[in-house]
Each structure stands twice: as structure tokens, then as C-alpha cells.
Amino acid sequence: MGKTLAEKLLGAKAGKEVVAGELVIAKVDVAFFQDGTGPLAVRQLRKVNLEKVADPKRSILFIDHAAPSPRRELSNDHMLLREFAANTGAVLSDINEGVCHQRVLEDYAKPGDVVIGADSHSCTAGALCAFATGMGSTDVAVGMALGRTWFRVPPTFRVECKGQFRKGVYSKDLILHLIGTIGADGATYRALEFGGPAIDAMPMWQRATLSNMAVEAGAKAGLIASDNLTREFLKKYGREGDFTEIRPDPDAKYERVIGMDVSELEPTVSCPHTVDNTKLARELKGTRVDQVFIGSCTNGRFEDLEVAARIMKGKKRHVKTRVIVIPASREVYLDALRAGLIETFVTSGATVLGPGCGPCVGVHEGALGDKEVCLSTQNRNFKGRMGNPEGFIYLASPATAAASALRGEITDPREVL
Amino acid sequence: MILEGKVWKFGDDISTDHIAPGRLFHLRSNLEELAKHVLEDADPEFAKKVRKGDFVVAGNNFGLGSSREHAPTIIKMAGVSAVLAKSFARIFFRNSINIGLPVLECDTDKLENGDTLRIDLSAGVIEDKTNGAKLEFVPLPDAMIKILNDGGLLAHIEKHGGFKLD
Ligand code: SF4
């Protein structure tokens, strides 16, 4: 019987043929924590005298959520992670290196891997055709120490995409629209599998945005077949040898197939306080914006910054709208520097900060004031997310964010392109 | 096991940011302190008023969002004996089992704020003693029952020296 990507990937690592619904114990290829979930994971391992890692080269501790540390408690947490890395030989990705999910794409995950991260957006590596999923501290701690974990093989929703994006429309608009359609719990316990001609033609940076946000529909994974574009991406990071082609079988059994024609999409925005509360950007014209954030594991890649910079070049931000730009990783930062994007942003009145999560999770670098409105390229707009339950967060693509930064209100980017 | 306590009712889509907000990130290594803020962004009074044994009762998609295990951990630390919801987000659900917090999927419409519940975990029955309603909850998957019965994931691993779920 034909297999979905989820069935293929988990079956290969469980060493047997599997179908959706089955319980498997699978080999873990890449395991990681970040500074918000890592300290608890380390303490859990110490509780049972299991301070070790099965594969040090592919066990990574990322200091990215509060990087550099804004206060002593977090500095102490960072010390604990550095100590764990020293004790076990695990890789430490310190404050200069960037957001875990971008780093995992660049240097660690490859097609066919099982990737577990103590961060809900670990599904991002599904864009490289790895079975990648987020878990809690204890699950990842155990998986990292033993090199194995358990899964229930998820049933799959196939998202079959055809057509061509119109100008000013990106994969961020696609995924926001999809979540708006199926709901924030529309794919709970399922894998999403993105495919079809529009995905085959989609560059890696846009695929990563889709996989990143799978969890916002409740999904366990957001999988995409590996192809020549995957190979090109790995090559850029010196890992062409990591490439293998993996596709779902044509007769795979899907629980549901959702057809989408991406030519019909328009710039889309999620409104406070849930990701599935979507509207078109043009319907929100006139909504004041106090802060724009361009960055995060969702849309902080080089090409995202390039899209935004092209819109802001030679123009100034609206006087009442502050703009924060954060490259997702050091590599992205360097590419942006070399391409002159950083200069464009700074000249247009943006604040550019070092690689990391920035204000996305409300720890530092741009917490909202009471009743303030932020338009962000991140993946989540829950109440309180950016440091203040009295704040309002809208989610959109880098193009919509840049256009809104110029106008000081939510703006359909096609008005400025 | 029999659980008894009062209902604290919440709506749909209670996220991990409602339960353990990011602005309190610095308290994650001080769980006692973090627990004083549990569910603060959904009900600022909850942490002060909840009593040992009480239940958190909610609608759809409870615990959506982040992977932070601190969320179920501080719910448990606040004395809550089980969370009942129409549905749960996947990572929250798995985290809860791992740390030994019962999470019960059931139709919560009939359960009102302040009602007294009696739950027989092994029989799978929920009784609302205030209005007489009786409900069943969806049984946990076998693997999770094994983990819960061993006292959580760490205890399971210690006991068996690895995964023993089949
Ligand atoms: S950028 Fe935001 S969503 Fe992504 S890992 Fe960091 S805090 Fe989480």
C-alpha cells in the first residue's frame, strides 16, 4: 500500500513498515533544546543520573530566546546550558548564532531524519523532508540521552497546491489562509503534507515558513518532499552530501486532501488573539501600527529581509511606527550585510538587532505597551505573547510588514510595490 | 483513583501564554514562583483562589502554543488534580502525561464554574455532584496509560531502562 511522507520517514527510523495510527519507537537523529526549555531538561536528566547524550554532534543547545541575556536569572540558565554542553560534548549554539529552527535547517537536519526539539516550531525542519516535531523538555531530554523516542504515526492531511502566487503574495499568506480555513486545531494529531506544482516551484525559504507554522493548525509535523531545491539549499551550507530524494507514494492514503489554488490568494493577516482569526490585509486598512517586527524563525531568512528591504529602500518608516529587524541567524546576518540590506533598514529608520528570537516571545527587545499594536512576521499572536496581555499582535508576511511600516497602518503591500 | 474538587471554568483556545506567559520567562528555573502566576492571563484571580484537588475545565484546544512543559507543571504544582477539556493541543497533552498530570478529554458543556466533581479515573467516569450530570471521558492511548501508571516518563525510563510501551 502507498505511503505518506510521515509513514515513510517514521517507518525507516523504526525499522519496519508502519501505517498511520501505529505506535513506534524510532531512532532520533537530531535533538535540541533552547534556553527556555533546556534548563528544565538538564535538571530532569540529572534527577535520574542520565546526564549524557547519544550523539553529541547532533545534540544541540541553542541560546536564542533571551540572547544576549536581559537579566541575571536567565544568565544563570545560560550558564547551566554551557555546563551541560561541556559535560556531555553536546553542541552549544551561543548568543551570536541565531534562532534554533533556522540553525537546524542550515547545519543539522537532512532529508530522512527524525528531529525532535524542545520548542513547538521544531516542525520547521519538515521543509527538508525530515520528520521534525516539537516536544516538551522531558521528552527531548530522554530522546537526546537514549537516541530514541516514541511516536504515534500521525494520519496525514495532504495540502495540494496549484497555481502561481500573484505579486506581493507569499507562502506566509498561504499558511495564514490555510489556518484561517481549517482552524487553530484543524490538524491536531495530524501531519500536514504540502505538495503539488506550487510547492514544487516554491523556494526553500518559503517552504520553511509553511512547515514552521504547521503547529499553528495543531499539526505534529509539516512535511515537504525533498527535491532539487532541497539539494541546492543543502549545497549552499556545504552539505550536498546530506541530500536524498524522498517523495510520498502516488497512491498514499490521506485522511483528507485540501486543494488550494495559490493564484487566488491575497496578502493575509492574522488578527488578535488567535492565528486562525484571519482577514485580508486590505480589509484592515486604517489599523494603526505602533511597532513592526521583521524576523523570527518564520520569516527572518535572507530572502524575507530582501523582500522587506526592497519595499523600504530609499523611504522612511512612518514617524509613529518603530521597526525592529532581526536576521534569524548569523549566516543570514552576514548575507544581509553583504547585500546592503542592513544599511537599507538602518537608513529607513529601523532598529537592527543581533540574531535570535527578539521580541517574538516577550522576553526582551521590544515588549509592547498597553493597548499598543504590533504587526509581526512571527507565527503566533496569542494574548500576552509579546510581553504584555494588553497588547495586540497581527501576523503577516515581510512584504505586508514593510509596507505597513512605511504607512503607519496595516497596508496591502501591493499598494507600494 | 478518585479525585474530588471544584470546577474552574475556562473557554476555548487557552494557550501556554495564558498559562505561563513569556514575560515571566526568567521564572522558569523558579517554578514555585512561576506557579503563583499560573493561568494569570486567563484569570488573574485563579492562582490565589484555587484549592488543592480542584479541576481546570475548558473548551477546545487547551494548551495550544509553545512546547513549554512548565505550563502543565505549574498547573500541577498549583494543586490541580486534573485538567478536563473538549480537546487538547498535542504537545501539552503529551507533556502532561510525562509529568503525571491527568488530562481528560470529555464534553465539558455541562460542567459549571464552582460545581463539585467526583472523578473515578480507573472507571473513566466523571460525576458533577452539583447538578447530577454524569460523563465519560475518552480513554488515554495505551502507551500513555503505561507512562502515567509508572509515574511519568522519567520514572518509566528508570524502571525499564528505556521505553517499554508495547
Ligand atoms: S522566533 Fe519566536 S516562535 Fe521562533 S523559536 Fe523564537 S520565540 Fe519561538
Side-chain angles (χ1 to χ4, degrees):
Chain A
M1 199 182 70
K3 301 229 173 290
T4 64
L5 281 178
E7 289 165 335
K8 279 196 175 179
L9 295 169
L10 287 177
K13 296 296 169 175
K16 59 176 184 179
E17 295 254 315
V18 302
V19 292
E22 219 171 298
L23 179 105
V24 298
I25 312 277
K27 176 176 184 294
V28 170
D29 297 293
V30 176
F32 66 94
F33 312 132
Q34 32 90 341
D35 46 348
T37 56
L40 179 58
V42 170
R43 284 192 199 101
Q44 291 289 71
L45 287 179
R46 286 184 177 172
K47 254 193 222 164
V48 292
N49 287 322
L50 206 65
E51 187 169 356
K52 61 165 193 179
V53 303
D55 183 356
K57 287 204 181 65
R58 303 182 89 198
S59 301
I60 313 106
L61 322 174
F62 291 98
I63 298 183
D64 55 358
H65 281 58
S69 167
R71 53 193 299 164
R72 64 194 285 192
E73 296 91 336
L74 296 169
S75 308
N76 290 336
D77 282 347
H78 291 174
M79 285 171 67
L80 181 65
L81 295 188
R82 293 190 187 102
E83 184 186 292
F84 180 80
N87 290 350
T88 59
V91 181
L92 179 77
S93 178
D94 218 317
I95 64 164
N96 57 315
E97 296 200 38
V99 184
C100 50
H101 309 302
Q102 175 62 16
R103 298 284 301 113
V104 166
L105 289 180
E106 291 172 355
D107 281 1
Y108 299 101
K110 64 177 192 300
D113 278 350
V114 164
V115 177
I116 58 171
D119 189 285
S120 58
H121 296 102
S122 302
C123 47
T124 310
L128 288 178
C129 203
F131 191 90
T133 193
M135 294 178 167
S137 299
T138 306
D139 259 320
V140 177
V142 167
M144 190 184 276
L146 303 182
R148 312 189 84 70
T149 191
W150 72 275
F151 293 104
R152 200 177 60 93
V153 181
T156 296
F157 287 178
R158 168 90 176 174
V159 185
E160 182 72 26
C161 304
K162 62 171 189 187
Q164 261 180 331
F165 286 109
R166 285 189 269 181
K167 198 171 171 191
V169 184
Y170 301 87
S171 69
K172 182 63 166 284
D173 302 299
L174 189 170
I175 190 71
L176 294 181
H177 175 81
L178 177 71
I179 295 165
T181 310
I182 67 174
D185 58 354
T188 301
Y189 303 118
R190 310 308 193 279
L192 290 177
E193 185 182 292
F194 301 97
I199 304 297
D200 294 340
M202 184 181 285
M204 276 309 299
W205 59 281
Q206 293 208 53
R207 291 182 185 180
T209 306
L210 293 181
S211 295
N212 175 270
M213 289 197 68
V215 66
E216 303 306 333
K220 183 163 177 166
L223 305 172
I224 299 176
S226 55
D227 60 11
N228 211 31
L229 293 174
T230 321
R231 183 205 299 268
E232 290 300 315
F233 177 87
L234 291 168
K235 191 171 163 193
K236 173 170 162 39
Y237 294 95
R239 302 202 288 134
E240 198 180 359
D242 281 351
F243 177 77
T244 41
E245 188 175 317
I246 306 172
R247 312 203 133 263
D249 292 327
D251 58 341
K253 247 180 92 186
Y254 297 105
E255 182 176 329
R256 184 174 162 193
V257 177
I258 302 166
M260 285 184 86
D261 182 350
V262 306
S263 341
E264 289 170 3
L265 295 172
E266 292 190 57
T268 302
V269 176
S270 291
C271 304
H273 295 290
T274 53
V275 184
D276 57 7
N277 185 16
T278 52
K279 290 207 166 68
L280 297 179
R282 58 181 169 81
E283 296 171 330
L284 293 162
K285 199 176 159 84
T287 307
R288 180 196 91 235
V289 177
D290 301 294
Q291 175 170 297
V292 165
F293 171 42
I294 300 171
S296 85
C297 58
T298 317
N299 285 115
R301 283 169 262 281
F302 172 76
E303 295 85 349
D304 291 313
L305 302 188
E306 199 179 32
V307 166
R310 219 179 288 137
I311 290 170
M312 297 184 75
K313 193 170 173 82
K315 307 206 175 93
K316 291 273 184 249
R317 67 172 173 89
H318 188 272
V319 61
K320 289 192 174 153
T321 306
R322 51 190 190 270
V323 181
I324 299 167
V325 177
I326 304 189
S329 73
R330 179 183 52 184
E331 289 309 312
V332 171
Y333 203 135
L334 283 169
D335 286 344
L337 265 178
R338 291 183 196 116
L341 308 185
I342 303 294
E343 188 173 345
T344 299
F345 286 125
V346 174
T347 310
S348 70
T351 305
V352 181
L353 301 174
C357 297
C360 174
V361 70
V363 186
H364 64 162
E365 296 184 342
L368 301 181
D370 294 349
K371 306 278 180 295
E372 277 199 319
V373 172
C374 182
L375 182 78
S376 172
T377 65
Q378 69 198 54
N379 43 37
R380 214 166 251 170
N381 60 348
F382 302 153
K383 194 176 169 201
R385 176 80 186 170
M386 296 181 91
N388 187 347
E390 304 295 325
F392 297 90
I393 308 166
Y394 293 80
L395 308 175
S397 73
T400 303
S404 305
L406 298 179
R407 295 273 177 91
E409 59 177 54
I410 295 180
T411 302
D412 186 318
R414 293 172 297 183
E415 286 188 27
V416 300
L417 283 173
Chain B
M1 198 170 32
I2 308 289
L3 309 173
E4 207 165 313
K6 284 206 182 334
V7 168
W8 291 85
K9 189 105 187 236
F10 295 86
D12 292 334
D13 293 324
I14 297 295
S15 78
T16 50
D17 280 289
H18 287 105
I19 304 168
R23 67 173 180 283
L24 302 174
F25 204 84
H26 59 286
L27 295 179
R28 288 193 185 179
S29 287
N30 185 355
L31 290 169
E32 302 269 323
E33 203 50 42
L34 190 61
K36 292 184 188 158
H37 299 271
V38 62
L39 278 158
E40 186 169 274
D41 286 356
D43 176 359
E45 296 299 305
F46 174 76
K48 269 176 243 135
K49 297 197 173 153
V50 65
R51 293 285 162 265
K52 196 166 169 39
D54 285 354
F55 302 104
V56 166
V57 177
N60 283 311
N61 210 15
F62 188 87
L64 78 155
S66 140
S67 70
R68 63 191 75 149
E69 195 173 297
H70 314 72
T73 304
I74 60 174
I75 290 178
K76 192 178 174 200
M77 286 175 72
V80 171
S81 59
V83 182
L84 286 61
K86 286 186 190 166
S87 65
F88 290 90
R90 183 187 61 82
I91 307 177
F92 181 90
F93 194 76
R94 187 162 163 150
N95 281 343
S96 301
I97 301 299
N98 283 344
I99 60 133
L101 172 69
V103 271
L104 311 177
E105 207 177 291
C106 59
D107 181 0
T108 53
D109 278 345
K110 292 207 184 86
L111 311 177
E112 299 294 341
N113 207 22
D115 285 3
T116 300
L117 304 186
R118 183 177 184 278
I119 302 181
D120 185 336
L121 273 187
S122 15
V125 185
I126 300 167
E127 185 190 348
D128 187 326
K129 291 171 72 170
T130 309
N131 65 17
K134 282 211 166 104
L135 310 169
E136 288 179 3
F137 55 85
V138 181
L140 289 173
D142 285 348
M144 289 188 156
I145 293 177
K146 284 183 185 129
I147 292 171
L148 202 54
N149 284 345
D150 283 342
L153 183 62
L154 283 185
H156 175 84
I157 295 295
E158 258 198 316
K159 184 169 165 192
H160 306 284
F163 291 100
K164 182 129 190 9
L165 296 171
D166 34 15

